[in-house]
Structure formats: structure tokens, C-alpha cells
Amino acid sequence: MSSPKGSKGRKIKLSSFVQKVPLEVPSPAEHDWPKDDEEDFAFKDSEQELDFLPQPYRMINKMVNLLFDQTWEVIMRKDVVREAEKGQAPLATSFPPLIESKLNKMPNCMAVSQDYVFIGGAKGFSIYNLYDAKRLYVWEKLKVDVTSIWAADLGNEILIAPVDEMGIARLFYFYKDGLFLIKAINEVDDTSKQTTCLKMEISHGGDFAAFLLQGAGDIWLDVYKLPKESWVKEVEHPQPAINPKKKVKQLQLNTLDSVTSENLETDVNICFRGDIKLSPPVHIMKIKPPKPVTGTTFKSPLEVFARIEDCYGLGSGQNHFIKDIQWEQQAAIFKASFKKHLDGEWEEERLSTATFYFLLPSCITATPADVKSSPGVACVLGIHWTGSHNFFLYSLNRTLKDKVDPEGVWPCAAPITASRLSFGCSYLVLACEDGVLTLWDLAEGFPLGVVALPEECSCQSIHFLKHYLVHEGQNVYPEAPVKSQMQCVVLCTDSSLHLVMARGAREPTISVLVESPVKNLDEAICAVAPVPALPGMVLTFSRNGSVQLMDVAKPQVICAFAPPRTYCLAVPWKPVFVVPLNHPCFLLRGDHPDEIESEDAKDIQNSIFYFNLKAYPLLENICNPGTVPQTDMTDSMAFAQALPLEKRCEIFLQKRFQKLEKKVKEQEHGTRLRRYSLLLQRETSRK
């Protein structure tokens, strides 16, 4: 038998969520239904009379509920982490650095050439030995820090180009333990006219150099010819230059400077020879960004054709017969058609920048017949500007007085966003805004193909791999060079990594090496570096500071590398590292930007970590890959496709001839047997 009070309590519980408005039968049409709003509902606590507690019990109740809520949040976070770990591969073996070089101040940049490492930092740069990471020389004569540095191998010499915080680029000549200053490229006496060097490039062999300069709201590219033959003579037979009329503003260069052994870690004696003046580079060309395409000024089509001399500039879009009113009408139609997509999306136009390369003589970049050029000397400068569809080709056989017009133009269907030239200058990849990659074989003079990245993927950087083969489960380099075969890895803006392969007339292929991270964004790849000394191996740098060695042939992570202690990384992390061409190692800077600004910055250790891959037992076999002999490549059908077309035709004809020769011998042998049997029959019949 239930009590009246209990029945009343149950009635109150049934009406805990009621609606303020009266109930109505909804109409059949869905668009006439009333939209429920939170203001139309009222919440009633059916057990308010029973749950009302005095203090301090109400406070205890709130604290317990808060504790339950926080515990539930911790459980949910751990569950998310547990689900993410289920889809991850087991952690790779992590190796510490072999050597740690401690520096007084944080280094800003690094470059490597031959057996030396050049580290730019406070007021200059330092020279280190690549193999033992010992400091050989310190050049600190600037008032500001060096922010970027380049180094080019000239054979027996090295050309060094540091750029300081003021944007001033300087050329140094390193020859037989002597350091010589050639010239400060863009240094001027009037600071108001000072220009900034944004980027530079030195040609293969060191015959030319180009500097991208910016100043007074303008940007341009200065190209110089380097008299490296004169430098060798001037260094071996020095003639001290004394010019009392010219004042040296901030660098005291007219003295012989050497660093004492107390500040160095080796017995190698490198000295700075400021008393010897070398021949300055010769300015041969100044290239400005192409003018925006506007209405024509020509009155007839004949004037347009007369403007194009010897097909120079054909394809740039500058010489046309489209009038201003036609451009305006086309722009009005475009804006009217896509008005809803264009509203609020216009951004301020940024200053254009350039990416440029020096190209060697080939079928595409052939020099005129009356011009003598060496096979290993650059003859053409290739350049593309920000937002431009065109890749321009400029001949280097000119002087500053000559008219600067491109000798060739390669137009693309979309603006070029990224590009890369292979180390041997044989292959070029152009990546467009729409995710399409154009692969060029410059040596043979034809495009290897066109490949498209997955949807919503845009190219961030391209990195060439030296062509390798998989022999008995191990990556190896072929003994003889191959033609028309290229491999490169492409890092996209969504941190996914792809492998692109092209071979002869076959259609290029693209495969995914690393997917774009969805949950753990800290694992996103921010930088990639191939290891030329190891076939098919690349280093990947992630946002969380991890560094991994990946085999792109499998693909799988071989191992990882980590500093001996953790660092506070910048967001986003831009790792400072360098990978030599012929030695299986890499150098990595230890980053801690958050701690540098603290009061205890003096006690912080600034280090460069040296990872020698040969020193780790797991990588011993990988670091000694060997090569595939030419005989194995010709005998194996798997490797036959890696040979040049001429070699494959020769092998095919040789095998065909061997088969025919074998068949003829078999026929001759059969004929002899038949003759012998006939003779036996005759002798038998006579007897």
C-alpha cells in the first residue's frame, strides 16, 4: 500500500522537463513546424524538496561533482591517447649523437663543403672539421650576426658566402689554409641606400653567382661572373694592394690575422689574409620581375611579330594584341560570376621573390655555335618569380651592356610554387599551384612526364634522391651512371610525404611514404633531407623534435636520433641542420628559444650535435652498400630497365646474335651427325 506522499513524489519526477508553450498538433508540412528554442523550455528539479541540503553539505556536494567531472576528462584524454597509440608502429631505436660541440653563443646557420663545416653566428662564422667536429678557425669581424651562409666546392678551393643581419652578402675564398675576402657584394657607404640580400646561388663549379637583392620597394637579381682562374694566380703569387684613398669602414682587412691555438681545438693553422686583394666578380646581368600583363600598345598584329626576334620571349605573354577594354570586360565577367567566392578574400599584394638555378649545357640549354663552352660550365640561368606561370631561361654569355631578354620561356598551366634542380643539373621539377609536377630531363632534352599530387595537397619542398636499385634486399647504387631515370621525395603542406619516380618514356608513378597526421599533429613532418651517402635513405624532422631515418624503398623507419637532453622547441620548429654529400653523417643544432630569453641564458649550453651513422651497429650494413656491377645489371631482367636505351639495345642484339649463332651450330652439328650415319650405313651394306 503506497502512501500519498510517495505518489506525489512520483508525479513530480514525471514532470521534470516541461514546455512553456501549449501543445499543438503539428502540420503535415515540415517547413511549418516551430523551431524549438531553449527559451521555450524550463527545467524543474523534481527532487528539490528532498535534495535541499544545508551548508556545508551543499559545498561538499559541489566539490564531489567537480572531482567526478575532472576525473572523467582525464579518462577521456587517456582514452584518446590509447586509441592513437594502437594505430602507431612500434618506436624505432633511438641513437644519441657521437660528438657534442659546445659553443658560446647560439649558431644561426650551417653549410658544408669538402671536409669542412661553416657555422654562422655572432659577429662572423667559424670553420670546423667535418670528421672530428673540431674548430679550426674563427672569423668574427662584424658588428652584427651572420644569419645565413652558403659554401660551394670549386675543386681545390671553397667559396664561402655569409649574409649578416643587415642583409650584406660577402664572398670569401678558402684556399690552402688561407681565408681571403673577395668583396662585400651589396655594401654601400650611404645606409639609406643599403639593399638586402634575400637569397643567393653559386653555379656548379663556381663560375657564376647570383644574388637576389631588395631595396627601396623593388627587387631584382644580380648575376656575376667569378674569375676563379685569376684568384688562384693571385693567391699563389700575392701582390699586396695598398690604396690610401679608400677607407675601410668597419673591417680592418689590411692585416695578416691568425687565431692562436688557445682558442682552437686542432693544430691546423688557418689564417685570414686581409693584405691580399683578389679580383672582384664581374657584374654581367640585372634581371627584374616580369611586368604585369596589360593592354597592348601595338596597332597591328605585324608589330607583335616584329617585336619577337628569333623567338626570344615567346610564351611570356608580354607581346600580344589584347586591348585594355577586353581585359576590363573579362575581369568584370569573372568578378560577376564568382562574386560570392571573391568577397572578403582579397589580400595585399606581396613583393615578388624568385627561385633560380644555373643550368649546364644540354639539348635544351644549348649555347650558340659561335660560343665556346666547357661541358661542366653553366651556360643558362633558369628563374621563376612568385605568382608567375613561366620559367624563364637567360643566357649567361652576355655583358652588362647587353639587353636583358629571356632566350626561352617555359609556360605552365598554373603559377609555379616550388621547384628543384638535381645536384648533377640533369633533372628539374616544377611544382604548380594546382598540385601538378612537371618532370624534366635536361640532359636528354625532353620531359619525363607530368604527375599530380593527391587532392587538396600542395607542394612544400622537393628533394632529389640519387638513383638507386634494390639488390638482394639492400639498396645499392649502380656502378655505371643511368640516363632518364629520376627519383625524388615531395613534402606537402599537409605534412604528407610522397615518392615520385620517372623512367624514360614510361608514365611516372607517385606513392605515399607518410600520411598526413590527423590526431597527433606534433608528429607532422616539417623538414626532409636526403642522405646522399646512403642509397634510398632520407632524414625526416617532425614538429615534436624527433629525427628519423627512413628507407623509402620499403618504406619504413630504420631508426631515430635524439640529443642527450630535451629542448624547448620553437613553434613552428625550423630545424637547423646540414647533411654532407659524401659522408654518412649529419649535424643538428640544439634549439631552446624559450630559455634563451630568460635570466639564466648565460648558463645555457649552445651545442651542435654530430651524428655519425657509421658508428651505430644497426646501420653498419646500410653504411656500406656497395654497387651493382655492370655484368649483374645486364644479366638480371630486373636491373636491365635501369640501363640506358643504347645499352639495352646493344644487349638485346647481342643476345639475339648468340641465339642465332647457337641455332646455326646446332644445325651444323645435326648435319654432321646425319652424314656420319649415312657413311656408317654404306660401310655396313658393303660388308
Side-chain angles (χ1 to χ4, degrees):
M1 182 175 179
S2 60
S3 62
K5 186 175 181 180
S7 300
K8 183 178 179 180
R10 284 192 296 270
K11 291 178 181 179
I12 294 175
K13 290 182 179 180
L14 293 174
S15 59
S16 61
F17 189 66
V18 296
Q19 192 173 9
K20 294 180 180 179
V21 298
L23 296 176
E24 296 179 358
V25 178
S27 61
E30 185 176 354
H31 63 272
D32 295 333
W33 293 357
K35 295 183 178 179
D36 298 336
D37 209 355
E38 291 184 0
E39 298 178 355
D40 299 334
F41 295 90
F43 292 91
K44 294 182 179 180
D45 191 354
S46 59
E47 299 181 356
Q48 185 175 3
E49 297 179 359
L50 302 177
D51 293 346
F52 186 78
L53 299 173
Q55 290 288 10
Y57 301 106
R58 289 203 307 272
M59 183 184 68
I60 296 174
N61 183 46
K62 290 182 179 180
M63 295 297 292
V64 173
N65 291 335
L66 179 62
L67 181 61
F68 284 148
D69 294 340
Q70 293 178 349
T71 304
W72 183 251
E73 291 178 0
V74 173
I75 293 173
M76 293 299 294
R77 285 198 300 267
K78 289 186 176 182
D79 186 63
V80 171
V81 174
R82 191 181 298 110
E83 291 295 329
E85 290 178 351
K86 288 182 179 179
Q88 291 181 351
L91 296 177
T93 304
S94 182
F95 295 112
L98 184 65
I99 301 174
E100 177 181 359
S101 297
K102 297 180 181 179
L103 309 177
N104 296 329
K105 295 184 179 180
M106 172 63 70
N108 298 323
C109 51
M110 290 188 293
V112 62
S113 181
Q114 295 183 9
D115 300 335
Y116 302 96
V117 179
F118 306 92
I119 301 178
K123 300 182 180 181
F125 63 91
S126 304
I127 303 176
Y128 285 76
N129 187 292
L130 175 62
Y131 301 102
D132 55 14
K134 291 184 178 181
R135 186 170 57 185
L136 305 177
Y137 182 76
V138 179
W139 188 88
E140 294 180 347
K141 293 182 177 293
L142 303 178
K143 295 182 179 180
V144 293
D145 296 350
V146 171
T147 57
S148 58
I149 190 169
W150 287 265
D153 186 3
L154 307 185
N156 296 325
E157 320 95 81
I158 300 176
L159 197 63
I160 312 166
V163 179
D164 60 23
E165 290 179 329
M166 300 296 294
I168 300 176
R170 295 177 175 84
L171 278 180
F172 288 86
Y173 187 67
F174 185 39
Y175 178 70
K176 290 184 178 180
D177 299 335
L179 187 64
F180 307 86
L181 176 63
I182 300 173
K183 183 183 179 182
I185 298 297
N186 57 328
E187 187 178 19
V188 294
D189 295 332
D190 189 358
T191 56
S192 61
K193 298 180 181 180
Q194 181 63 56
T195 59
T196 303
C197 180
L198 303 178
K199 191 187 301 183
M200 71 156 296
E201 190 75 27
I202 302 174
S203 67
H204 185 72
D207 296 280
F208 297 91
F211 301 86
L212 184 65
L213 303 179
Q214 177 184 350
D218 198 6
I219 191 169
W220 66 94
L221 185 69
D222 279 343
V223 185
Y224 292 84
K225 187 174 183 180
L226 306 180
K228 61 178 187 178
E229 291 82 5
S230 300
W231 293 341
V232 176
K233 296 178 181 178
E234 293 167 354
V235 169
E236 293 180 349
H237 307 284
Q239 296 180 358
I242 300 175
N243 189 0
K245 296 182 180 180
K246 187 174 180 180
K247 296 181 180 179
V248 180
K249 186 171 58 175
Q250 67 180 22
L251 300 180
Q252 298 178 356
L253 304 179
N254 55 350
T255 59
L256 179 64
D257 183 19
S258 61
V259 180
T260 60
S261 59
E262 296 177 358
N263 300 327
L264 301 179
E265 303 168 358
T266 181
D267 297 332
V268 178
N269 186 18
I270 298 177
C271 61
F272 175 71
R273 300 297 303 272
D275 58 332
I276 299 177
K277 185 175 179 59
L278 302 183
S279 300
V282 181
H283 191 195
I284 62 173
M285 186 167 35
K286 182 178 182 179
I287 304 174
K288 293 185 177 181
K291 298 178 181 179
V293 180
T294 57
T296 182
T297 57
F298 301 113
K299 297 180 180 180
S300 67
L302 296 178
E303 294 183 8
V304 179
F305 290 107
R307 177 74 175 177
I308 304 175
E309 300 177 358
D310 298 331
C311 298
Y312 288 168
L314 184 62
S316 63
Q318 298 292 333
N319 303 317
H320 58 84
F321 199 61
I322 303 175
K323 299 182 179 180
D324 286 329
I325 188 172
Q326 293 174 306
W327 286 113
E328 294 173 359
Q329 292 175 354
Q330 184 67 24
I333 295 173
F334 179 82
K335 291 180 180 179
S337 302
F338 302 97
K339 183 179 179 180
K340 61 180 181 179
H341 302 287
L342 299 175
D343 290 343
E345 294 187 2
W346 293 103
E347 298 180 357
E348 184 179 355
E349 187 176 355
R350 294 178 297 177
L351 190 64
S352 179
T353 185
T355 304
F356 44 95
Y357 307 100
F358 289 99
L359 308 180
L360 299 179
S362 63
C363 298
I364 297 179
T365 60
T367 56
D370 57 342
V371 178
K372 295 181 179 180
S373 61
S374 302
V377 178
C379 63
V380 171
L381 176 71
I383 179 173
H384 64 86
W385 298 86
T386 302
S388 175
H389 294 63
N390 301 322
F391 186 76
F392 297 95
L393 301 175
Y394 293 87
S395 174
L396 296 173
N397 182 37
R398 66 175 78 223
T399 62
L400 194 60
K401 297 180 180 180
D402 296 336
K403 189 176 180 181
V404 181
D405 283 331
E407 275 70 20
V409 181
W410 295 352
C412 297
I416 303 173
T417 57
S419 61
R420 178 70 69 175
L421 180 69
S422 64
F423 177 74
C425 303
S426 299
Y427 305 101
L428 174 70
V429 176
L430 301 177
C432 295
E433 195 176 53
D434 55 1
V436 175
L437 306 179
T438 305
L439 318 176
W440 284 92
D441 184 352
L442 301 179
E444 297 298 322
F446 65 90
L448 287 173
V450 177
V451 65
L453 296 172
E455 294 184 4
E456 301 181 358
C457 280
S458 180
C459 178
Q460 178 179 343
S461 61
I462 305 168
H463 308 272
F464 274 97
L465 300 174
K466 188 178 178 181
H467 185 74
Y468 69 94
L469 302 170
V470 181
H471 180 57
E472 297 180 356
Q474 188 177 6
N475 300 344
V476 293
Y477 286 133
E479 190 175 35
V482 296
K483 294 182 179 180
S484 301
Q485 299 189 49
M486 57 150 289
Q487 300 162 332
C488 65
V489 291
V490 179
L491 178 62
C492 297
T493 52
D494 62 350
S495 299
S496 61
L497 192 64
H498 303 265
L499 176 64
V500 178
M501 303 178 67
R503 184 171 61 190
R506 296 191 178 186
E507 185 178 358
T509 61
I510 182 171
S511 58
V512 179
L513 298 176
V514 180
E515 296 280 357
S516 175
V518 179
K519 295 182 179 180
N520 299 331
L521 298 181
D522 290 341
E523 297 179 357
I525 298 176
C526 60
V528 176
V531 184
L534 304 182
M537 299 292 172
V538 297
L539 290 170
T540 60
F541 300 81
S542 303
R543 294 179 184 175
N544 58 6
S546 64
V547 182
Q548 296 179 335
L549 181 67
M550 171 179 285
D551 184 354
V552 300
K554 295 185 178 179
Q556 69 177 13
V557 175
I558 304 298
C559 63
F561 306 96
R565 53 188 178 276
T566 58
Y567 285 88
C568 299
L569 304 177
V571 180
W573 183 45
K574 296 181 180 179
V576 178
F577 62 92
V578 66
V579 182
L581 289 175
N582 302 317
H583 190 60
C585 68
F586 71 97
L587 286 81
L588 177 66
R589 184 186 72 177
D591 292 354
H592 40 75
D594 298 337
E595 298 178 3
I596 291 176
E597 299 176 357
S598 63
E599 297 179 356
D600 300 332
K602 296 181 180 179
D603 299 332
I604 298 174
Q605 294 182 352
N606 304 284
S607 302
I608 297 291
F609 297 108
Y610 177 80
F611 295 88
N612 186 359
L613 306 187
K614 286 186 176 180
Y616 307 117
L618 181 63
L619 305 179
E620 287 182 356
N621 295 332
I622 299 177
C623 293
N624 299 294
T627 58
V628 179
Q630 188 77 14
T631 54
D632 292 353
M633 293 184 64
T634 56
D635 295 339
S636 175
M637 293 299 296
F639 295 154
Q641 299 298 327
L643 297 174
L645 180 61
E646 297 84 356
K647 191 65 178 179
R648 279 184 280 167
C649 293
E650 181 182 351
I651 295 172
F652 173 78
L653 294 175
Q654 287 179 354
K655 290 183 177 180
R656 186 69 176 174
F657 177 77
Q658 290 175 359
K659 289 182 179 179
L660 292 175
E661 187 178 11
K662 183 179 179 181
K663 188 175 181 180
V664 170
K665 289 182 178 179
E666 290 177 351
Q667 291 177 353
E668 291 178 353
H669 183 67
T671 304
R672 291 175 182 174
L673 289 177
R674 285 194 296 272
R675 289 179 179 175
Y676 183 72
S677 61
L678 289 175
L679 291 174
L680 288 177
Q681 291 177 2
R682 290 177 182 176
E683 292 293 334
T684 306
S685 60
R686 289 177 182 176
K687 291 179 180 180

